[in-house]
Amino acid sequence: MSTVMFWSPQAGHGRTSSHTALVTLTAALQYRLRILVCHNQAQGESIESGIMAQGTIVSTAYQESDIGIDSVRRLLSSRKLNKNNISDYTIPLLKDRLDLLPGTMVASHSSSLEEGSDWQDILNIANEYYDLVIVDVGSGMDKVELLKQADSIVVNMSQNINHLESFFNTANQWTNIHQHPWTTVLGAYDSDSKCAVANIRRKFGLKQPIFAIENDAQFRDAWNAQTLLSFVRRNLGVTQPRKYAELFKQTMMLTEHILAQLNEGHDHKRLGEGKLHAI
């Protein structure tokens, strides 16, 4: 139905994979959606390193490359990939709610995935089966062409003023961005910085909202321990004050904003319809 791509103009600054994981898990736990999350990097990297729970039961087929983007591309080239079998090559993280498509084992994965029409065709087929496809595109200007395949783009930034100026002062030249709804998210956010959300909006004359995801030690520990799913499930929607309550408040707001963007102008069943409590 819809594809959301998370991307950062600058490598190592936007916390792109962290934001992708947070929004993906929030959407899967809070809404009646069938979601596929994937990325264009090597197997085991990107969101895989944090979102796949430790001890996830994965058959030996995973190590033998019968699961993942490489197998999907082989089926596509033989014209055997379709909406009825694409999920067979994914890892289920939440039954009937969230599947992970592992990355490539091909050494030249960057060029092989981003050149030609393979990526577009895979996303088109995935969208026939899933309600929402979320892609961690990574960072760098070489990814801008890939953003054409998105219905919504999440631009991940830091509070580095030079990077912010570079992006917002030239963003009007990036037709790929402006052809689609897009949202700015600041990662590792420090509310005490002079480069706060209100100041950024004022400096660049922005009318759209900017979301800020704080740097949270508990989240990073959960990522490193591969317990991110249980961490989000345990804390999402908790009402009592916690020192990382703002993390989930901003994540919920960001997730709702993205779904609202995707719903605009669509006559089909609304994304996010039938909100669930975290389970």
Side-chain angles (χ1 to χ4, degrees):
M1 292 291 191
S2 297
T3 297
V4 179
M5 290 187 175
F6 284 71
W7 166 77
S8 176
Q10 301 284 343
H13 289 273
R15 302 293 177 94
T16 306
S17 295
S18 297
H19 299 165
T20 305
L22 278 168
V23 169
T24 297
L25 293 175
T26 299
L29 289 167
Q30 292 287 99
Y31 294 88
R32 299 184 188 277
L33 295 171
R34 180 182 289 164
I35 301 172
L36 174 68
V37 61
C38 53
H39 63 94
N40 62 336
Q41 300 174 51
Q43 192 174 101
E45 295 181 0
S46 182
I47 51 173
E48 280 186 59
S49 59
I51 202 171
M52 193 162 67
Q54 187 177 35
T56 298
I57 298 176
V58 180
S59 68
T60 55
Y62 179 54
Q63 285 78 19
E64 295 170 359
S65 297
D66 289 337
I67 289 178
I69 190 69
D70 297 333
S71 295
V72 167
R73 294 183 74 235
R74 284 194 293 270
L75 259 69
L76 181 68
S77 64
S78 62
R79 299 184 180 181
K80 294 181 180 179
L81 183 68
N82 57 64
K83 65 178 182 180
N84 298 315
N85 64 16
I86 189 169
S87 64
D88 295 340
Y89 300 88
T90 67
I91 298 174
L93 301 180
L94 287 169
K95 183 176 173 55
D96 299 324
R97 306 273 286 278
L98 176 60
D99 292 341
L100 166 69
L101 181 63
T104 183
M105 295 184 70
V106 178
S108 58
H109 61 276
S110 293
S111 59
S112 65
L113 281 177
E114 290 159 24
E115 291 178 359
S117 61
D118 281 4
W119 199 234
Q120 178 180 359
D121 292 338
I122 290 169
L123 291 174
N124 287 340
I125 293 172
N127 272 289
E128 292 179 15
Y129 180 76
Y130 294 96
D131 299 311
L132 182 63
V133 177
I134 300 176
V135 188
D136 179 357
V137 176
S139 60
M141 297 307 299
D142 59 324
K143 306 297 193 304
V144 171
E145 188 68 17
L146 188 58
L147 299 178
K148 288 182 178 180
Q149 314 305 329
D151 298 298
S152 176
I153 300 166
V154 180
V155 181
N156 300 270
M157 307 282 288
S158 70
Q159 289 170 281
N160 184 308
I161 190 60
N162 293 326
H163 294 166
L164 291 168
E165 288 179 345
S166 176
F167 176 76
F168 287 116
N169 290 338
T170 61
N172 60 344
Q173 302 174 18
W174 300 356
T175 56
N176 291 349
I177 295 286
H178 284 277
Q179 287 175 353
H180 308 287
W182 60 286
T183 303
T184 302
V185 183
L186 301 178
Y189 183 72
D190 184 352
S191 58
D192 293 328
S193 169
K194 291 183 179 179
C195 202
V197 167
N199 293 337
I200 293 171
R201 294 187 66 193
R202 182 165 53 251
K203 178 178 178 66
F204 298 106
L206 302 177
K207 296 182 179 180
Q208 66 187 82
I210 296 178
F211 297 89
I213 307 296
E214 294 183 346
N215 187 24
D216 184 82
Q218 286 76 21
F219 169 82
R220 185 53 49 189
D221 288 343
W223 180 285
N224 291 334
Q226 293 183 295
T227 57
L228 193 58
L229 176 56
S230 60
F231 173 76
V232 175
R233 190 201 303 263
R234 185 170 61 251
N235 293 290
L236 193 63
V238 171
T239 55
Q240 63 264 36
R242 294 192 178 186
K243 58 184 176 182
Y244 40 82
E246 187 65 21
L247 171 72
F248 288 99
K249 176 184 175 182
Q250 287 291 321
T251 300
M252 278 293 302
M253 291 171 59
L254 173 59
T255 304
E256 292 172 357
H257 177 77
I258 292 170
L259 292 177
Q261 280 188 329
L262 293 172
N263 284 328
E264 291 183 6
H266 289 283
D267 295 327
H268 55 70
K269 181 181 178 181
R270 292 177 62 84
L271 287 169
E273 193 172 73
K275 184 175 180 180
L276 296 169
H277 293 294
I279 59 174

